[in-house]
Amino acid sequence: QVQLVESGGGLVQPGGSLRLSCAHSASIFSINVMGWYRQAPGKQRELVALIIRGGSTKYVDSVKGRFTISRDNAKNTVDLQMNSLKPEDTAVYYCNIKDFTRDYWGQGTQVTVSS
């Protein structure tokens, strides 16, 4: 079983920044897509950002220009830099990895944006 562990969440004021990190045990040769999702209380889990095998990225409209997804194959991490945070960004953020046959999920890290 591939293990994913998110870290970096916390409480931040509107306009602030956080960097989330997902440490994983997956082989880089088997990963198709890595991504970050989030789920606010009472709402559906939504895709926030993806990074594809070739390195291209995709973002949900609400975070474009503010969030950046990146990967570090040497460190086995996928990160999400979050800038200009808004209260509506408050959610539990989950790391996801898709290989050729399965999905793997982390336990989530709480991000709270509040003054």
Side-chain angles (χ1 to χ4, degrees), residues 1-2 4 33 37 96-99 101-105:
Q1 179 83 335
V2 170
L4 284 70
V33 184
Y37 292 71
N96 170 258
I97 291 177
K98 303 182 190 295
D99 65 15
T101 59
R102 290 175 294 275
D103 277 272
Y104 304 97
W105 293 91

Side-chain angles (χ1 to χ4, degrees), residues 21-62:
S21 183
C22 174
H24 67 87
S25 61
S27 168
I28 62 171
F29 302 106
S30 64
I31 297 172
N32 286 330
V33 184
M34 294 185 287
W36 285 93
Y37 292 71
R38 67 186 180 188
Q39 187 168 23
K43 295 187 176 182
Q44 297 287 331
R45 185 174 298 187
E46 69 169 346
L47 172 67
V48 177
L50 294 175
I51 184 163
I52 312 300
R53 187 179 183 89
S56 61
T57 58
K58 188 175 180 66
Y59 302 90
V60 68
D61 286 345
S62 60

Side-chain angles (χ1 to χ4, degrees), residues 19-20 23 47 50 69-70 75-77 79 86-88 97:
R19 187 175 183 89
L20 306 183
L47 172 67
L50 294 175
I69 188 170
S70 62
K75 296 172 61 177
N76 274 30
T77 62
D79 300 329
K86 305 175 180 179
E88 51 262 45
I97 291 177

